[in-house]
């Protein structure tokens, strides 16, 4: 178990019922690239659900139409690129280098998406987390894994100007979505 996951487990109790098993090799084949080990461990521990009724953690498949990791990422980067071209403002971290893409792994009820910035030749364990506001005019980048980001955010180590103050209760909860 990773240290960030151990910290997250202390902050947010996992669901009583274990999530369904995931065939990660099949998921990575369908997505077109590998996924960070910490995310797979996070998804295998918590499954699909919502932290503090605010952050929805995505898993590869789910019961809500269009909300799974694979479905949400189909054409995701191209959609963002079109919107940035329209606003004529791109995040400097997101280059137009072939193979650079964004992979959404969670979303929020008020801010937007939590993504990984994937660059060619970069290990999935080194993909930074980018948080976007819905209209894509603001973003924050964190050189952390998904699990380390969530643990730091929920422990108060990260003070995001984008994410809601609703994530600072003394006790955090995880509510799984129905299967």
């Amino acid at each position: 178990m990773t240290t960030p996951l151990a910290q997250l487990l202390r902050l947010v109790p996992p669901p009583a019922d274990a999530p369904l098993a995931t065939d990660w090799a099949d998921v990575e084949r369908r997505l077109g690239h590998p996924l960070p080990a910490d995310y797979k461990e996070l998804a295998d521990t918590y499954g699909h659900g919502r932290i503090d009724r605010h952050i929805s953690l995505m898993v590869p498949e789910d019961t809500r139409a269009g909300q799974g990791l694979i479905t949400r990422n189909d054409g995701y980067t191209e959609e963002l690129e079109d919107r940035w071209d329209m606003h004529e403002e791109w995040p400097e971290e997101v280059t137009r280098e072939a193979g650079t893409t964004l992979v959404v792994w969670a979303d929020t009820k008020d801010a937007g998406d939590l993504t990984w910035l994937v660059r060619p030749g970069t290990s999935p364990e080194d993909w930074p987390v980018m948080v976007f506001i819905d209209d894509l005019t603001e973003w924050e980048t964190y050189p952390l894994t998904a699990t380390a980001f969530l643990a730091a955010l929920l422990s108060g180590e990260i003070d995001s100007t984008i994410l809601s103050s609703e994530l600072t209760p003394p006790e955090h909860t995880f509510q799984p979505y129905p299967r």
Side-chain angles (χ1 to χ4, degrees):
M1 181 181 310
T2 63
T3 302
L5 182 59
Q7 181 183 9
L8 191 61
L9 287 167
R10 286 190 299 276
L11 293 166
V12 185
D17 295 328
L20 299 174
T22 300
D23 179 348
W24 289 110
D26 180 59
V27 169
E28 291 171 329
R29 180 189 56 74
R30 291 169 55 202
L31 198 56
H33 48 75
L35 290 167
D38 83 292
Y39 164 77
K40 293 186 273 189
E41 193 175 38
L42 176 67
D44 285 343
T45 301
Y46 286 93
H48 189 225
R50 191 167 279 214
I51 298 172
D52 292 346
R53 296 183 176 187
H54 190 75
I55 295 177
S56 291
L57 178 63
M58 292 180 192
V59 295
E61 306 292 342
D62 69 11
T63 56
R64 300 180 319 151
Q67 295 303 309
L69 184 79
I70 295 169
T71 305
R72 276 291 307 277
N73 281 290
D74 184 25
Y76 180 76
T77 299
E78 293 79 10
E79 177 186 329
L80 296 182
E81 289 173 349
D82 289 346
R83 291 172 65 189
W84 285 324
D85 281 343
M86 187 172 54
H87 293 295
E88 297 180 357
E89 184 175 6
W90 278 61
E92 63 186 53
E93 299 92 340
V94 182
T95 66
R96 295 181 191 230
E97 178 184 5
T100 298
T101 192
L102 291 159
V103 177
V104 61
W105 56 271
D107 60 19
T108 69
K109 73 177 187 181
D110 67 353
D113 294 334
L114 282 65
T115 69
W116 291 295
L117 174 58
V118 178
R119 291 188 182 110
T122 303
S123 164
E125 311 318 313
D126 295 325
W127 295 345
V129 170
M130 291 190 77
V131 179
F132 291 97
I133 197 161
D134 258 346
D135 68 3
L136 302 177
T137 59
E138 294 179 45
W139 54 86
E140 298 170 341
T141 304
Y142 299 92
L144 300 168
T145 66
T147 307
F149 172 79
L150 289 173
L153 180 68
L154 297 174
S155 68
E157 296 171 40
I158 289 177
D159 184 22
S160 170
T161 60
I162 293 176
L163 295 173
S164 173
S165 61
E166 291 181 37
L167 295 169
T168 56
E171 294 183 23
H172 299 283
T173 61
F174 181 83
Q175 297 171 319
Y177 289 120
R179 292 183 190 182

